[in-house]
Amino acid sequence: MTTLETVFTDTPASDFVNTVEPQIADETLTSPERLRDWLVERRLLPADVRLGPADLDAAVTIREGLRAVLLGHAGHAGDPAALDRLNQALAATPVAPRFTAHGHHLVAVGGAPLDPAVAGLVDAIRQCDVDGSWRRLKVCARDTCRWAYYDASRNQARRWCSMAGCGNYVKMRRAYTVRTGRTPA
């Protein structure tokens, strides 16, 4: 993995999208408490915040909407309904810029418990957009994977989270289909 890729692999946005791993049905955000713990570990929420089921639903909605956006970055059609739900969830969290001696960032101006975390994610996306890394965040083209990754390739044409895993699998299936004229079982 290149140094540049290492820097951006664990952005809050990609890290958040990767809280579920569809290939093995591994979901990190299984309860409001686990969501809070995840957000506290990344300094997006203070430890004393209490989250409820509605906060968990909103977080999962935002995560899946971001996955749809990153799928679009990889050149695939995202789910328009997921994008609509993402925009509705983000509209429910008002943010404003705050200026300091070191620059500016976005902060939540609402009072909902999840608002500071959503503002932190939106600010991380803003920072990625400013530094040019936002369009390089993508999700794997393999439909059973959809893992978020940073595309460090020179031409920004990488399609899989790893060439050794998903890329190899997809290419082997394609070669089998071409060679035999049928899709593998």
Side-chain angles (χ1 to χ4, degrees):
M1 193 179 293
T2 66
T3 304
L4 187 61
E5 186 173 356
T6 304
V7 170
F8 292 108
T9 297
D10 294 322
T11 66
S14 64
D15 199 20
F16 185 60
V17 170
N18 289 337
T19 57
V20 65
E21 190 168 352
Q23 285 191 95
I24 59 173
D26 183 27
E27 171 66 74
T28 301
L29 309 179
T30 57
S31 69
E33 295 76 25
R34 293 212 44 207
L35 170 62
R36 182 203 59 230
D37 293 346
W38 190 91
L39 294 168
V40 167
E41 283 177 23
R42 283 142 189 94
R43 297 186 198 127
L44 292 169
L45 274 183
D48 61 346
V49 170
R50 290 204 179 285
L51 298 178
D55 297 313
L56 178 61
D57 290 342
V60 170
T61 296
I62 291 168
R63 178 189 68 197
E64 295 310 313
L66 289 174
R67 186 182 313 280
V69 170
L70 299 183
L71 189 61
H73 288 184
H76 304 286
D79 178 7
L83 293 174
D84 287 342
R85 290 188 299 271
L86 169 65
N87 288 324
Q88 289 170 2
L90 293 178
T93 307
V95 298
R98 288 292 184 261
F99 292 88
T100 67
H102 304 290
H104 69 283
H105 59 279
L106 298 176
V107 296
V109 293
L114 190 62
D115 286 358
V118 174
L121 284 169
V122 170
D123 192 51
I125 291 167
R126 179 196 62 79
Q127 290 172 5
C128 287
D129 194 38
V130 167
D131 69 21
S133 62
W134 177 240
R135 297 294 300 172
R136 287 180 173 256
L137 290 177
K138 301 177 179 183
V139 292
C140 183
R142 185 175 176 190
D143 58 355
T144 58
C145 179
R146 300 295 193 231
W147 189 257
Y149 65 91
Y150 179 79
D151 180 359
S153 67
R154 184 176 304 179
N155 63 357
Q156 299 180 34
R158 186 168 150 195
R159 300 177 41 96
W160 301 287
C161 59
S162 87
M163 191 57 218
C166 290
N168 187 44
Y169 177 83
V170 170
K171 287 183 173 192
M172 293 289 284
R173 284 183 62 98
R174 191 179 309 141
Y176 177 85
T177 302
V178 168
R179 190 174 59 251
T180 64
R182 61 178 196 229
T183 308

Coordinates of all heavy atoms in Angstrom, one line a residue, residues 80-115:
P80 N -30.5 5.9 -6.3 CA -31.1 7.3 -6.1 C -31.9 7.4 -4.8 O -31.9 8.5 -4.2 CB -32.0 7.5 -7.3 CG -31.7 6.4 -8.3 CD -31.0 5.3 -7.5
A81 N -32.6 6.3 -4.4 CA -33.4 6.4 -3.1 C -32.4 6.6 -1.9 O -32.7 7.3 -1.0 CB -34.2 5.1 -3.0
A82 N -31.3 5.9 -1.9 CA -30.3 6.0 -0.9 C -29.8 7.5 -0.8 O -29.5 8.0 0.3 CB -29.2 5.0 -1.0
L83 N -29.6 8.0 -2.0 CA -29.1 9.4 -2.1 C -30.1 10.4 -1.5 O -29.8 11.3 -0.8 CB -28.7 9.8 -3.5 CG -27.5 9.1 -4.1 CD1 -27.3 9.4 -5.5 CD2 -26.2 9.4 -3.3
D84 N -31.4 10.2 -1.8 CA -32.5 11.0 -1.3 C -32.5 10.9 0.2 O -32.7 11.9 0.9 CB -33.8 10.6 -1.9 CG -34.0 11.0 -3.4 OD1 -33.2 11.9 -3.8 OD2 -34.9 10.5 -4.0
R85 N -32.4 9.7 0.7 CA -32.5 9.5 2.2 C -31.3 10.1 2.9 O -31.4 10.7 3.9 CB -32.6 8.0 2.5 CG -33.9 7.4 2.2 CD -34.1 5.9 2.7 NE -33.1 5.0 2.1 CZ -33.2 4.3 1.0 NH1 -34.3 4.4 0.3 NH2 -32.3 3.5 0.6
L86 N -30.1 10.1 2.2 CA -28.9 10.7 2.7 C -29.1 12.2 2.8 O -28.9 12.8 3.9 CB -27.7 10.4 1.8 CG -26.4 11.2 2.1 CD1 -25.9 10.9 3.5 CD2 -25.4 11.0 1.0
N87 N -29.6 12.8 1.7 CA -29.8 14.3 1.7 C -30.9 14.7 2.8 O -30.7 15.7 3.4 CB -30.3 14.7 0.3 CG -29.1 14.7 -0.6 OD1 -28.0 15.0 -0.2 ND2 -29.4 14.3 -1.9
Q88 N -31.9 13.9 3.0 CA -32.9 14.2 4.0 C -32.3 14.1 5.4 O -32.5 14.9 6.3 CB -34.1 13.2 3.9 CG -34.9 13.5 2.7 CD -36.0 12.4 2.5 OE1 -36.1 11.4 3.2 NE2 -36.7 12.5 1.4
A89 N -31.5 13.1 5.6 CA -30.8 12.9 6.9 C -29.9 14.1 7.2 O -29.8 14.6 8.3 CB -30.1 11.6 7.0
L90 N -29.1 14.5 6.2 CA -28.2 15.6 6.4 C -28.9 16.9 6.5 O -28.4 17.8 7.3 CB -27.2 15.6 5.2 CG -26.2 14.5 5.1 CD1 -25.4 14.6 3.8 CD2 -25.4 14.3 6.3
A91 N -30.0 17.1 5.9 CA -30.8 18.3 6.1 C -31.3 18.5 7.5 O -31.6 19.6 7.9 CB -32.0 18.3 5.1
A92 N -31.5 17.3 8.2 CA -32.0 17.4 9.6 C -30.9 17.8 10.5 O -31.2 17.9 11.7 CB -32.6 16.0 9.9
T93 N -29.7 17.9 10.1 CA -28.5 18.3 10.9 C -27.9 19.6 10.5 O -27.1 19.6 9.6 CB -27.4 17.2 10.9 OG1 -28.0 15.9 11.2 CG2 -26.3 17.5 11.9
P94 N -28.4 20.7 11.1 CA -27.8 22.0 10.7 C -26.4 22.1 11.1 O -26.0 21.8 12.2 CB -28.7 23.0 11.4 CG -29.3 22.3 12.5 CD -29.4 20.8 12.1
V95 N -25.5 22.6 10.2 CA -24.1 22.9 10.5 C -23.8 24.3 10.1 O -24.4 24.9 9.3 CB -23.2 21.9 9.7 CG1 -23.4 20.5 10.2 CG2 -23.3 22.0 8.2
A96 N -22.7 24.8 10.7 CA -22.2 26.2 10.5 C -20.7 26.1 10.5 O -20.1 25.3 11.3 CB -22.8 27.1 11.5
P97 N -20.1 27.0 9.8 CA -18.6 27.1 9.9 C -18.2 27.8 11.2 O -18.9 28.7 11.7 CB -18.2 28.0 8.7 CG -19.4 28.8 8.4 CD -20.6 28.0 8.8
R98 N -17.1 27.3 11.7 CA -16.5 27.9 12.9 C -15.0 28.2 12.5 O -14.3 27.3 12.1 CB -16.5 27.0 14.1 CG -17.9 26.9 14.7 CD -18.3 28.2 15.4 NE -19.6 28.0 16.0 CZ -20.8 28.3 15.5 NH1 -20.9 28.8 14.3 NH2 -21.9 28.1 16.2
F99 N -14.6 29.4 12.8 CA -13.2 29.8 12.4 C -12.4 29.9 13.7 O -12.8 30.3 14.7 CB -13.3 31.2 11.8 CG -13.9 31.2 10.4 CD1 -15.3 31.3 10.3 CD2 -13.2 30.9 9.3 CE1 -15.9 31.3 9.1 CE2 -13.8 30.9 8.0 CZ -15.2 31.0 7.9
T100 N -11.1 29.4 13.5 CA -10.1 29.5 14.6 C -8.9 30.0 14.0 O -8.8 30.3 12.8 CB -9.8 28.1 15.1 OG1 -9.2 27.3 14.1 CG2 -11.1 27.4 15.6
A101 N -7.8 30.2 14.8 CA -6.6 30.7 14.3 C -5.9 29.7 13.3 O -5.1 30.0 12.5 CB -5.6 30.9 15.5
H102 N -6.4 28.4 13.3 CA -5.8 27.4 12.5 C -6.7 27.0 11.3 O -6.4 26.1 10.6 CB -5.6 26.1 13.3 CG -4.8 26.3 14.5 ND1 -3.4 26.6 14.5 CD2 -5.1 26.3 15.8 CE1 -2.9 26.8 15.7 NE2 -3.9 26.6 16.5
G103 N -7.7 27.8 11.0 CA -8.5 27.5 9.9 C -10.0 27.5 10.3 O -10.4 28.2 11.2
H104 N -10.8 26.7 9.5 CA -12.2 26.6 9.8 C -12.6 25.2 9.7 O -12.0 24.3 9.1 CB -13.0 27.5 8.9 CG -13.0 27.1 7.5 ND1 -12.0 27.3 6.6 CD2 -14.0 26.4 6.8 CE1 -12.3 26.8 5.5 NE2 -13.5 26.3 5.5
H105 N -13.7 24.9 10.3 CA -14.4 23.6 10.2 C -15.9 23.7 10.5 O -16.3 24.8 10.9 CB -13.7 22.6 11.2 CG -13.9 23.0 12.7 ND1 -13.0 23.9 13.2 CD2 -14.7 22.6 13.6 CE1 -13.3 24.1 14.5 NE2 -14.4 23.4 14.8
L106 N -16.6 22.7 10.2 CA -18.1 22.7 10.3 C -18.4 22.1 11.7 O -17.9 21.1 12.1 CB -18.7 22.0 9.2 CG -18.5 22.5 7.8 CD1 -19.1 21.6 6.8 CD2 -19.0 23.9 7.7
V107 N -19.4 22.8 12.4 CA -19.9 22.3 13.6 C -21.4 22.2 13.6 O -22.0 22.9 12.8 CB -19.4 23.1 14.8 CG1 -17.9 23.1 15.0 CG2 -19.9 24.6 14.7
A108 N -21.9 21.3 14.4 CA -23.4 21.2 14.5 C -23.9 22.4 15.3 O -23.4 22.8 16.3 CB -23.8 19.9 15.2
V109 N -25.1 22.9 14.8 CA -25.7 24.0 15.6 C -27.1 23.5 16.1 O -27.7 24.3 16.8 CB -25.9 25.3 14.7 CG1 -24.6 25.9 14.4 CG2 -26.7 25.0 13.4
G110 N -27.4 22.3 15.9 CA -28.6 21.7 16.5 C -28.3 21.0 17.8 O -27.1 20.9 18.2
G111 N -29.3 20.6 18.4 CA -29.1 20.0 19.8 C -29.3 18.5 19.8 O -29.3 17.9 20.9
A112 N -29.6 17.8 18.7 CA -29.7 16.4 18.7 C -28.4 15.7 19.1 O -27.4 16.2 18.7 CB -30.3 15.9 17.4
P113 N -28.5 14.6 19.8 CA -27.3 13.9 20.3 C -26.3 13.5 19.1 O -25.1 13.5 19.3 CB -27.8 12.6 21.0 CG -29.2 12.9 21.3 CD -29.7 13.9 20.3
L114 N -26.8 13.1 18.0 CA -26.0 12.6 16.9 C -25.4 13.8 16.0 O -24.5 13.6 15.3 CB -26.8 11.7 16.0 CG -26.1 10.9 14.9 CD1 -25.0 10.0 15.5 CD2 -27.0 10.1 14.0
D115 N -25.9 15.0 16.2 CA -25.5 16.1 15.4 C -24.0 16.4 15.3 O -23.5 16.6 14.2 CB -26.3 17.4 15.8 CG -27.7 17.4 15.4 OD1 -28.2 16.4 14.7 OD2 -28.4 18.4 15.7

